[in-house]
CSV table of all heavy atoms in Angstrom, one decimal:
chain,number,residue,atom,x,y,z
A,17,MET,N,2.8,28.4,-5.8
A,17,MET,CA,2.7,27.9,-4.4
A,17,MET,C,3.5,26.6,-4.2
A,17,MET,O,3.2,25.6,-4.9
A,17,MET,CB,1.3,27.8,-4.0
A,17,MET,CG,1.1,27.5,-2.5
A,17,MET,SD,-0.6,27.8,-2.1
A,17,MET,CE,-0.9,26.4,-1.1
A,18,LYS,N,4.5,26.6,-3.4
A,18,LYS,CA,5.4,25.5,-3.2
A,18,LYS,C,4.8,24.6,-2.2
A,18,LYS,O,4.4,25.0,-1.1
A,18,LYS,CB,6.7,25.9,-2.8
A,18,LYS,CG,7.8,24.8,-2.8
A,18,LYS,CD,9.1,25.4,-2.5
A,18,LYS,CE,10.1,24.2,-2.4
A,18,LYS,NZ,11.4,24.7,-2.0
A,19,PRO,N,4.7,23.2,-2.4
A,19,PRO,CA,4.1,22.3,-1.4
A,19,PRO,C,5.1,22.2,-0.3
A,19,PRO,O,6.3,22.1,-0.4
A,19,PRO,CB,3.9,21.0,-2.2
A,19,PRO,CG,4.9,21.1,-3.3
A,19,PRO,CD,5.0,22.5,-3.7
A,20,THR,N,4.5,22.0,0.9
A,20,THR,CA,5.3,21.9,2.1
A,20,THR,C,5.7,20.4,2.3
A,20,THR,O,5.1,19.5,1.7
A,20,THR,CB,4.5,22.3,3.4
A,20,THR,OG1,3.3,21.4,3.5
A,20,THR,CG2,4.0,23.7,3.2
A,21,PRO,N,6.7,20.1,3.0
A,21,PRO,CA,7.1,18.7,3.2
A,21,PRO,C,6.0,17.9,3.9
A,21,PRO,O,5.8,16.7,3.6
A,21,PRO,CB,8.3,18.8,4.2
A,21,PRO,CG,8.9,20.1,3.9
A,21,PRO,CD,7.7,21.0,3.6
A,22,PHE,N,5.2,18.5,4.8
A,22,PHE,CA,4.1,17.8,5.4
A,22,PHE,C,3.1,17.4,4.3
A,22,PHE,O,2.5,16.3,4.4
A,22,PHE,CB,3.5,18.6,6.5
A,22,PHE,CG,2.4,17.9,7.2
A,22,PHE,CD1,2.6,16.9,8.1
A,22,PHE,CD2,1.0,18.3,7.0
A,22,PHE,CE1,1.6,16.2,8.7
A,22,PHE,CE2,0.0,17.7,7.7
A,22,PHE,CZ,0.3,16.6,8.6
A,23,THR,N,2.8,18.2,3.4
A,23,THR,CA,1.8,17.9,2.3
A,23,THR,C,2.3,16.8,1.5
A,23,THR,O,1.6,15.9,1.1
A,23,THR,CB,1.6,19.2,1.5
A,23,THR,OG1,1.2,20.3,2.3
A,23,THR,CG2,0.5,18.9,0.5
A,24,LEU,N,3.6,16.9,1.1
A,24,LEU,CA,4.2,15.8,0.3
A,24,LEU,C,4.2,14.4,1.1
A,24,LEU,O,3.9,13.4,0.5
A,24,LEU,CB,5.6,16.1,-0.1
A,24,LEU,CG,5.7,17.3,-1.1
A,24,LEU,CD1,7.2,17.6,-1.3
A,24,LEU,CD2,5.0,17.0,-2.3
A,25,LEU,N,4.4,14.5,2.4
A,25,LEU,CA,4.3,13.3,3.2
A,25,LEU,C,2.9,12.7,3.2
A,25,LEU,O,2.7,11.5,3.0
A,25,LEU,CB,4.8,13.5,4.6
A,25,LEU,CG,4.7,12.4,5.6
A,25,LEU,CD1,5.6,11.3,5.2
A,25,LEU,CD2,4.9,12.8,7.0
A,26,LEU,N,1.9,13.5,3.4
A,26,LEU,CA,0.5,13.1,3.3
A,26,LEU,C,0.2,12.5,2.0
A,26,LEU,O,-0.5,11.5,1.9
A,26,LEU,CB,-0.4,14.2,3.7
A,26,LEU,CG,-0.5,14.6,5.2
A,26,LEU,CD1,-1.4,15.7,5.4
A,26,LEU,CD2,-0.9,13.4,6.0
A,27,LEU,N,0.6,13.1,0.9
A,27,LEU,CA,0.4,12.6,-0.4
A,27,LEU,C,1.0,11.3,-0.6
A,27,LEU,O,0.4,10.3,-1.2
A,27,LEU,CB,0.9,13.6,-1.5
A,27,LEU,CG,0.6,13.3,-2.9
A,27,LEU,CD1,-0.9,13.2,-3.2
A,27,LEU,CD2,1.3,14.3,-3.8
A,28,ALA,N,2.3,11.1,-0.2
A,28,ALA,CA,3.0,9.8,-0.3
A,28,ALA,C,2.3,8.7,0.5
A,28,ALA,O,2.2,7.6,0.0
A,28,ALA,CB,4.4,10.0,0.1
A,29,LEU,N,1.9,9.0,1.7
A,29,LEU,CA,1.2,8.0,2.5
A,29,LEU,C,-0.2,7.7,1.9
A,29,LEU,O,-0.6,6.5,1.9
A,29,LEU,CB,1.0,8.5,3.9
A,29,LEU,CG,2.3,8.6,4.8
A,29,LEU,CD1,2.0,9.2,6.1
A,29,LEU,CD2,2.9,7.2,4.9
A,30,GLY,N,-0.9,8.6,1.4
A,30,GLY,CA,-2.1,8.3,0.7
A,30,GLY,C,-2.0,7.4,-0.5
A,30,GLY,O,-2.7,6.5,-0.7
A,31,MET,N,-0.9,7.7,-1.3
A,31,MET,CA,-0.6,6.8,-2.4
A,31,MET,C,-0.2,5.4,-2.0
A,31,MET,O,-0.6,4.4,-2.6
A,31,MET,CB,0.5,7.4,-3.3
A,31,MET,CG,0.1,8.7,-4.0
A,31,MET,SD,-1.3,8.5,-5.1
A,31,MET,CE,-0.6,7.4,-6.3
A,32,ALA,N,0.5,5.3,-0.9
A,32,ALA,CA,0.9,4.0,-0.3
A,32,ALA,C,-0.4,3.2,0.1
A,32,ALA,O,-0.5,2.0,-0.2
A,32,ALA,CB,1.8,4.2,0.8
A,33,VAL,N,-1.3,3.9,0.7
A,33,VAL,CA,-2.6,3.2,1.1
A,33,VAL,C,-3.4,2.8,-0.1
A,33,VAL,O,-3.9,1.7,-0.1
A,33,VAL,CB,-3.4,4.1,2.1
A,33,VAL,CG1,-4.8,3.6,2.3
A,33,VAL,CG2,-2.6,4.3,3.4
A,34,LEU,N,-3.5,3.6,-1.1
A,34,LEU,CA,-4.2,3.3,-2.3
A,34,LEU,C,-3.6,2.1,-3.0
A,34,LEU,O,-4.3,1.2,-3.5
A,34,LEU,CB,-4.3,4.5,-3.2
A,34,LEU,CG,-5.3,5.6,-2.8
A,34,LEU,CD1,-5.3,6.7,-3.7
A,34,LEU,CD2,-6.7,5.0,-2.7
A,35,LEU,N,-2.3,2.1,-3.1
A,35,LEU,CA,-1.6,1.0,-3.8
A,35,LEU,C,-1.8,-0.3,-3.0
A,35,LEU,O,-2.0,-1.4,-3.6
A,35,LEU,CB,-0.1,1.3,-3.9
A,35,LEU,CG,0.8,0.2,-4.5
A,35,LEU,CD1,0.4,0.0,-6.0
A,35,LEU,CD2,2.3,0.5,-4.4
A,36,SER,N,-1.7,-0.2,-1.7
A,36,SER,CA,-1.9,-1.4,-0.9
A,36,SER,C,-3.3,-1.9,-1.0
A,36,SER,O,-3.6,-3.1,-1.0
A,36,SER,CB,-1.6,-1.1,0.6
A,36,SER,OG,-0.2,-0.7,0.7
A,37,ALA,N,-4.3,-1.0,-1.1
A,37,ALA,CA,-5.7,-1.4,-1.2
A,37,ALA,C,-5.9,-2.1,-2.6
A,37,ALA,O,-6.6,-3.1,-2.7
A,37,ALA,CB,-6.6,-0.2,-1.1
A,38,LEU,N,-5.2,-1.6,-3.6
A,38,LEU,CA,-5.3,-2.3,-4.9
A,38,LEU,C,-4.7,-3.7,-4.9
A,38,LEU,O,-5.3,-4.6,-5.4
A,38,LEU,CB,-4.6,-1.4,-6.0
A,38,LEU,CG,-4.6,-1.9,-7.4
A,38,LEU,CD1,-6.0,-2.0,-7.9
A,38,LEU,CD2,-3.7,-1.1,-8.3
A,39,VAL,N,-3.6,-3.8,-4.2
A,39,VAL,CA,-3.0,-5.1,-4.1
A,39,VAL,C,-3.9,-6.1,-3.3
A,39,VAL,O,-4.0,-7.2,-3.7
A,39,VAL,CB,-1.6,-5.0,-3.4
A,39,VAL,CG1,-1.1,-6.3,-3.0
A,39,VAL,CG2,-0.6,-4.3,-4.3
A,40,SER,N,-4.6,-5.6,-2.3
A,40,SER,CA,-5.5,-6.4,-1.5
A,40,SER,C,-6.7,-6.9,-2.4
A,40,SER,O,-7.0,-8.0,-2.3
A,40,SER,CB,-6.0,-5.6,-0.3
A,40,SER,OG,-6.9,-6.3,0.4
A,41,VAL,N,-7.2,-6.0,-3.2
A,41,VAL,CA,-8.4,-6.3,-4.0
A,41,VAL,C,-8.0,-7.4,-5.0
A,41,VAL,O,-8.7,-8.3,-5.3
A,41,VAL,CB,-9.0,-5.1,-4.6
A,41,VAL,CG1,-10.0,-5.4,-5.7
A,41,VAL,CG2,-9.6,-4.2,-3.6
A,42,VAL,N,-6.8,-7.2,-5.6
A,42,VAL,CA,-6.4,-8.2,-6.6
A,42,VAL,C,-6.1,-9.5,-6.0
A,42,VAL,O,-6.4,-10.6,-6.5
A,42,VAL,CB,-5.1,-7.6,-7.3
A,42,VAL,CG1,-4.4,-8.7,-8.2
A,42,VAL,CG2,-5.4,-6.4,-8.2
A,43,THR,N,-5.6,-9.5,-4.8
A,43,THR,CA,-5.3,-10.8,-4.1
A,43,THR,C,-6.6,-11.5,-3.7
A,43,THR,O,-6.7,-12.7,-3.9
A,43,THR,CB,-4.5,-10.5,-2.8
A,43,THR,OG1,-3.3,-9.8,-3.1
A,43,THR,CG2,-4.2,-11.8,-2.0
A,44,ILE,N,-7.6,-10.7,-3.3
A,44,ILE,CA,-8.9,-11.3,-3.0
A,44,ILE,C,-9.5,-11.9,-4.2
A,44,ILE,O,-10.1,-13.0,-4.2
A,44,ILE,CB,-9.8,-10.3,-2.3
A,44,ILE,CG1,-9.3,-9.9,-0.9
A,44,ILE,CG2,-11.3,-10.8,-2.2
A,44,ILE,CD1,-10.0,-8.8,-0.3
A,45,ALA,N,-9.5,-11.2,-5.3
A,45,ALA,CA,-10.0,-11.7,-6.6
A,45,ALA,C,-9.3,-12.9,-7.1
A,45,ALA,O,-10.0,-13.9,-7.5
A,45,ALA,CB,-9.9,-10.6,-7.7
A,46,LEU,N,-8.0,-13.0,-7.0
A,46,LEU,CA,-7.3,-14.2,-7.4
A,46,LEU,C,-7.5,-15.3,-6.5
A,46,LEU,O,-7.6,-16.5,-7.0
A,46,LEU,CB,-5.8,-13.9,-7.5
A,46,LEU,CG,-5.3,-13.0,-8.6
A,46,LEU,CD1,-3.8,-12.7,-8.5
A,46,LEU,CD2,-5.6,-13.6,-9.9
A,47,ALA,N,-7.7,-15.1,-5.2
A,47,ALA,CA,-8.0,-16.2,-4.3
A,47,ALA,C,-9.4,-16.8,-4.6
A,47,ALA,O,-9.6,-18.0,-4.5
A,47,ALA,CB,-7.9,-15.7,-2.9
A,48,ARG,N,-10.3,-15.9,-4.8
A,48,ARG,CA,-11.7,-16.4,-5.1
A,48,ARG,C,-11.7,-17.1,-6.5
A,48,ARG,O,-12.4,-18.1,-6.6
A,48,ARG,CB,-12.7,-15.2,-5.2
A,48,ARG,CG,-13.0,-14.6,-3.9
A,48,ARG,CD,-13.8,-15.5,-3.0
A,48,ARG,NE,-15.1,-15.6,-3.5
A,48,ARG,CZ,-16.0,-16.5,-3.1
A,48,ARG,NH1,-15.6,-17.4,-2.2
A,48,ARG,NH2,-17.2,-16.6,-3.6
A,49,TRP,N,-11.0,-16.6,-7.4
A,49,TRP,CA,-10.9,-17.3,-8.7
A,49,TRP,C,-10.3,-18.7,-8.6
A,49,TRP,O,-10.6,-19.6,-9.4
A,49,TRP,CB,-10.1,-16.4,-9.7
A,49,TRP,CG,-10.1,-16.8,-11.1
A,49,TRP,CD1,-11.2,-17.4,-11.8
A,49,TRP,CD2,-9.0,-16.7,-12.0
A,49,TRP,NE1,-10.8,-17.6,-13.1
A,49,TRP,CE2,-9.5,-17.2,-13.3
A,49,TRP,CE3,-7.7,-16.2,-12.0
A,49,TRP,CZ2,-8.7,-17.3,-14.4
A,49,TRP,CZ3,-7.0,-16.3,-13.1
A,49,TRP,CH2,-7.4,-16.8,-14.3
A,50,ASN,N,-9.4,-18.8,-7.6
A,50,ASN,CA,-8.7,-20.1,-7.4
A,50,ASN,C,-9.6,-21.1,-6.6
A,50,ASN,O,-9.2,-22.2,-6.4
A,50,ASN,CB,-7.4,-19.9,-6.7
A,50,ASN,CG,-6.4,-21.0,-6.8
A,50,ASN,OD1,-6.5,-21.8,-7.7
A,50,ASN,ND2,-5.5,-21.2,-5.9
A,51,GLY,N,-10.7,-20.6,-6.1
A,51,GLY,CA,-11.7,-21.5,-5.5
A,51,GLY,C,-11.7,-21.4,-4.0
A,51,GLY,O,-12.3,-22.2,-3.3
A,52,ALA,N,-11.0,-20.4,-3.4
A,52,ALA,CA,-11.0,-20.2,-1.9
A,52,ALA,C,-12.3,-19.7,-1.5
A,52,ALA,O,-13.0,-18.9,-2.2
A,52,ALA,CB,-9.9,-19.3,-1.5
A,53,ALA,N,-12.6,-20.0,-0.2
A,53,ALA,CA,-13.9,-19.5,0.4
A,53,ALA,C,-13.7,-18.0,0.7
A,53,ALA,O,-12.5,-17.5,0.8
A,53,ALA,CB,-14.2,-20.2,1.7
A,54,LEU,N,-14.8,-17.3,0.9
A,54,LEU,CA,-14.7,-15.8,1.1
A,54,LEU,C,-13.9,-15.5,2.3
A,54,LEU,O,-13.0,-14.6,2.2
A,54,LEU,CB,-16.1,-15.2,1.1
A,54,LEU,CG,-16.1,-13.7,1.2
A,54,LEU,CD1,-15.4,-13.1,0.0
A,54,LEU,CD2,-17.6,-13.2,1.3
A,55,PRO,N,-14.1,-16.1,3.5
A,55,PRO,CA,-13.3,-15.7,4.6
A,55,PRO,C,-11.8,-16.0,4.4
A,55,PRO,O,-10.9,-15.1,4.8
A,55,PRO,CB,-13.8,-16.6,5.7
A,55,PRO,CG,-15.2,-17.0,5.4
A,55,PRO,CD,-15.1,-17.1,3.9
A,56,ALA,N,-11.4,-17.0,3.7
A,56,ALA,CA,-10.0,-17.3,3.4
A,56,ALA,C,-9.4,-16.3,2.5
A,56,ALA,O,-8.3,-15.8,2.6
A,56,ALA,CB,-9.8,-18.7,2.9
A,57,ALA,N,-10.2,-15.9,1.5
A,57,ALA,CA,-9.8,-14.9,0.5
A,57,ALA,C,-9.6,-13.5,1.2
A,57,ALA,O,-8.7,-12.8,0.9
A,57,ALA,CB,-10.8,-14.7,-0.6
A,58,LEU,N,-10.5,-13.2,2.2
A,58,LEU,CA,-10.4,-11.9,2.9
A,58,LEU,C,-9.2,-11.9,3.8
A,58,LEU,O,-8.5,-10.9,3.9
A,58,LEU,CB,-11.6,-11.6,3.7
A,58,LEU,CG,-12.9,-11.3,2.9
A,58,LEU,CD1,-14.1,-11.2,3.8
A,58,LEU,CD2,-12.7,-10.0,2.1
A,59,ILE,N,-8.8,-13.0,4.4
A,59,ILE,CA,-7.6,-13.1,5.2
A,59,ILE,C,-6.4,-12.9,4.3
A,59,ILE,O,-5.5,-12.2,4.7
A,59,ILE,CB,-7.6,-14.5,6.0
A,59,ILE,CG1,-8.7,-14.5,7.1
A,59,ILE,CG2,-6.2,-14.7,6.6
A,59,ILE,CD1,-8.8,-15.8,7.7
A,60,GLN,N,-6.4,-13.6,3.2
A,60,GLN,CA,-5.2,-13.4,2.3
A,60,GLN,C,-5.1,-12.0,1.8
A,60,GLN,O,-4.0,-11.4,1.7
A,60,GLN,CB,-5.4,-14.3,1.1
A,60,GLN,CG,-5.2,-15.8,1.4
A,60,GLN,CD,-5.4,-16.7,0.2
A,60,GLN,OE1,-5.7,-16.2,-0.9
A,60,GLN,NE2,-5.1,-18.0,0.4
A,61,GLY,N,-6.3,-11.3,1.5
A,61,GLY,CA,-6.2,-9.9,1.1
A,61,GLY,C,-5.7,-9.0,2.2
A,61,GLY,O,-5.0,-8.1,2.0
A,62,GLY,N,-6.1,-9.3,3.5
A,62,GLY,CA,-5.6,-8.5,4.6
A,62,GLY,C,-4.1,-8.7,4.8
A,62,GLY,O,-3.4,-7.7,5.1
A,63,ILE,N,-3.6,-9.9,4.6
A,63,ILE,CA,-2.2,-10.1,4.7
A,63,ILE,C,-1.4,-9.4,3.6
A,63,ILE,O,-0.4,-8.8,3.9
A,63,ILE,CB,-1.9,-11.7,4.7
A,63,ILE,CG1,-2.4,-12.3,6.0
A,63,ILE,CG2,-0.4,-11.9,4.5
A,63,ILE,CD1,-2.4,-13.8,5.9
A,64,ALA,N,-2.0,-9.4,2.4
A,64,ALA,CA,-1.3,-8.7,1.3
A,64,ALA,C,-1.4,-7.2,1.5
A,64,ALA,O,-0.4,-6.5,1.2
A,64,ALA,CB,-2.1,-9.1,0.0
A,65,PHE,N,-2.5,-6.7,2.1
A,65,PHE,CA,-2.6,-5.3,2.4
A,65,PHE,C,-1.5,-4.9,3.4
A,65,PHE,O,-0.8,-3.9,3.2
A,65,PHE,CB,-4.0,-4.9,2.9
A,65,PHE,CG,-4.1,-3.5,3.3
A,65,PHE,CD1,-4.3,-2.5,2.3
A,65,PHE,CD2,-4.0,-3.1,4.6
A,65,PHE,CE1,-4.5,-1.2,2.7
A,65,PHE,CE2,-4.2,-1.8,5.0
A,65,PHE,CZ,-4.4,-0.8,4.0
A,66,ALA,N,-1.4,-5.6,4.5
A,66,ALA,CA,-0.4,-5.3,5.5
A,66,ALA,C,1.0,-5.4,5.0
A,66,ALA,O,1.8,-4.5,5.3
A,66,ALA,CB,-0.6,-6.2,6.7
A,67,GLY,N,1.3,-6.4,4.2
A,67,GLY,CA,2.6,-6.6,3.7
A,67,GLY,C,3.0,-5.5,2.7
A,67,GLY,O,4.1,-4.9,2.8
A,68,SER,N,2.1,-5.1,1.8
A,68,SER,CA,2.5,-4.1,0.9
A,68,SER,C,2.5,-2.7,1.5
A,68,SER,O,3.4,-1.9,1.1
A,68,SER,CB,1.5,-4.1,-0.3
A,68,SER,OG,0.2,-3.8,0.2
A,69,LEU,N,1.7,-2.4,2.5
A,69,LEU,CA,1.7,-1.2,3.2
A,69,LEU,C,3.0,-1.0,4.0
A,69,LEU,O,3.7,0.0,4.0
A,69,LEU,CB,0.5,-1.0,4.1
A,69,LEU,CG,0.4,0.4,4.7
A,69,LEU,CD1,0.3,1.5,3.7
A,69,LEU,CD2,-0.8,0.5,5.7
A,70,THR,N,3.4,-2.1,4.6
A,70,THR,CA,4.7,-2.1,5.3
A,70,THR,C,5.9,-1.9,4.4
A,70,THR,O,6.8,-1.1,4.7
A,70,THR,CB,4.9,-3.5,6.1
A,70,THR,OG1,3.8,-3.7,7.0
A,70,THR,CG2,6.2,-3.5,6.8
A,71,LEU,N,5.9,-2.5,3.2
A,71,LEU,CA,6.9,-2.3,2.3
A,71,LEU,C,6.9,-0.9,1.7
A,71,LEU,O,8.0,-0.3,1.6
A,71,LEU,CB,6.8,-3.3,1.1
A,71,LEU,CG,7.8,-3.3,0.0
A,71,LEU,CD1,9.2,-3.7,0.6
A,71,LEU,CD2,7.5,-4.2,-1.1
A,72,CYS,N,5.8,-0.3,1.5
A,72,CYS,CA,5.7,1.0,1.0
A,72,CYS,C,6.2,2.0,2.0
A,72,CYS,O,7.0,3.0,1.7
A,72,CYS,CB,4.3,1.4,0.6
A,72,CYS,SG,3.7,0.7,-0.9
A,73,CYS,N,5.8,1.8,3.3
A,73,CYS,CA,6.3,2.7,4.3
A,73,CYS,C,7.8,2.6,4.6
A,73,CYS,O,8.5,3.6,4.8
A,73,CYS,CB,5.5,2.5,5.6
A,73,CYS,SG,3.8,3.1,5.5
A,74,ALA,N,8.3,1.4,4.4
A,74,ALA,CA,9.8,1.2,4.6
A,74,ALA,C,10.5,1.9,3.5
A,74,ALA,O,11.6,2.5,3.7
A,74,ALA,CB,10.1,-0.3,4.6
A,75,MET,N,10.0,1.8,2.3
A,75,MET,CA,10.6,2.5,1.1
A,75,MET,C,10.6,4.0,1.3
A,75,MET,O,11.5,4.7,1.0
A,75,MET,CB,10.0,2.1,-0.2
A,75,MET,CG,10.3,0.7,-0.6
A,75,MET,SD,12.1,0.4,-0.7
A,75,MET,CE,12.5,1.5,-2.0
A,76,LEU,N,9.4,4.5,1.8
A,76,LEU,CA,9.3,6.0,2.1
A,76,LEU,C,10.3,6.4,3.1
A,76,LEU,O,10.9,7.5,3.0
A,76,LEU,CB,7.9,6.3,2.5
A,76,LEU,CG,6.9,6.3,1.3
A,76,LEU,CD1,5.5,6.6,1.9
A,76,LEU,CD2,7.2,7.4,0.3
A,77,ALA,N,10.4,5.6,4.2
A,77,ALA,CA,11.4,6.0,5.2
A,77,ALA,C,12.8,5.9,4.7
A,77,ALA,O,13.6,6.8,5.1
A,77,ALA,CB,11.2,5.0,6.4
A,78,PHE,N,13.1,5.0,3.9
A,78,PHE,CA,14.5,4.9,3.3
A,78,PHE,C,14.7,6.1,2.4
A,78,PHE,O,15.8,6.7,2.5
A,78,PHE,CB,14.6,3.6,2.5
A,78,PHE,CG,15.9,3.5,1.8
A,78,PHE,CD1,17.1,3.2,2.5
A,78,PHE,CD2,16.0,3.6,0.4
A,78,PHE,CE1,18.3,3.1,1.8
A,78,PHE,CE2,17.1,3.5,-0.3
A,78,PHE,CZ,18.3,3.3,0.4
A,79,LEU,N,13.8,6.4,1.6
A,79,LEU,CA,14.0,7.5,0.6
A,79,LEU,C,14.0,8.9,1.3
A,79,LEU,O,14.7,9.8,0.9
A,79,LEU,CB,12.9,7.5,-0.4
A,79,LEU,CG,13.0,6.4,-1.4
A,79,LEU,CD1,11.8,6.4,-2.3
A,79,LEU,CD2,14.3,6.4,-2.2
A,80,SER,N,13.3,9.0,2.4
A,80,SER,CA,13.3,10.3,3.1
A,80,SER,C,14.5,10.5,4.0
A,80,SER,O,14.9,11.6,4.3
A,80,SER,CB,12.0,10.5,4.0
A,80,SER,OG,12.1,9.5,5.1
A,81,GLY,N,15.1,9.4,4.4
A,81,GLY,CA,16.3,9.5,5.2
A,81,GLY,C,17.6,9.6,4.4
A,81,GLY,O,18.7,9.8,5.0
A,82,SER,N,17.5,9.5,3.1
A,82,SER,CA,18.8,9.5,2.3
A,82,SER,C,19.3,10.9,2.2
A,82,SER,O,18.6,11.9,2.1
A,82,SER,CB,18.5,9.0,0.9
A,82,SER,OG,17.5,9.8,0.3
A,83,PRO,N,20.6,11.1,2.3
A,83,PRO,CA,21.2,12.4,2.2
A,83,PRO,C,21.1,13.0,0.8
A,83,PRO,O,21.1,12.2,-0.2
A,83,PRO,CB,22.7,12.2,2.5
A,83,PRO,CG,22.9,10.8,2.3
A,83,PRO,CD,21.6,10.1,2.5
A,84,ARG,N,21.0,14.3,0.7
A,84,ARG,CA,20.8,14.9,-0.7
A,84,ARG,C,22.1,15.5,-1.2
A,84,ARG,O,22.9,16.0,-0.6
A,84,ARG,CB,19.8,16.0,-0.6
A,84,ARG,CG,18.4,15.4,-0.3
A,84,ARG,CD,17.4,16.4,-0.3
A,84,ARG,NE,16.1,15.7,0.1
A,84,ARG,CZ,15.0,16.4,0.1
A,84,ARG,NH1,14.9,17.6,-0.1
A,84,ARG,NH2,13.9,15.7,0.5
């Protein structure tokens, strides 16, 4: 059974969200280890999540628009 392009897109977006969540958790842990308060660490984690998800989606759009 061959996967459809829609299925591959959903898989790629799911992987992008999981990678961004991992980046966010690591950022929060590093900020807390550095002595930041919990609200400041959560803000840094949110910024890291948004930035990495934006970068992942931009790379997916670039790769999907490339000619074959």
Side-chain angles (χ1 to χ4, degrees):
M17 185 164 138
K18 187 175 179 183
T20 63
F22 183 70
T23 307
L24 292 176
L25 175 67
L26 285 179
L27 182 64
L29 288 176
M31 292 300 294
V33 169
L34 286 176
L35 177 66
S36 298
L38 179 65
V39 168
S40 176
V41 168
V42 169
T43 303
I44 291 170
L46 287 175
R48 289 291 290 165
W49 189 36
N50 200 23
L54 184 59
L58 290 175
I59 289 172
Q60 289 178 357
I63 292 170
F65 177 81
S68 62
L69 187 60
T70 302
L71 183 63
C72 286
C73 288
M75 288 303 297
L76 285 173
F78 175 74
L79 291 175
S80 68
S82 61
R84 294 182 183 182

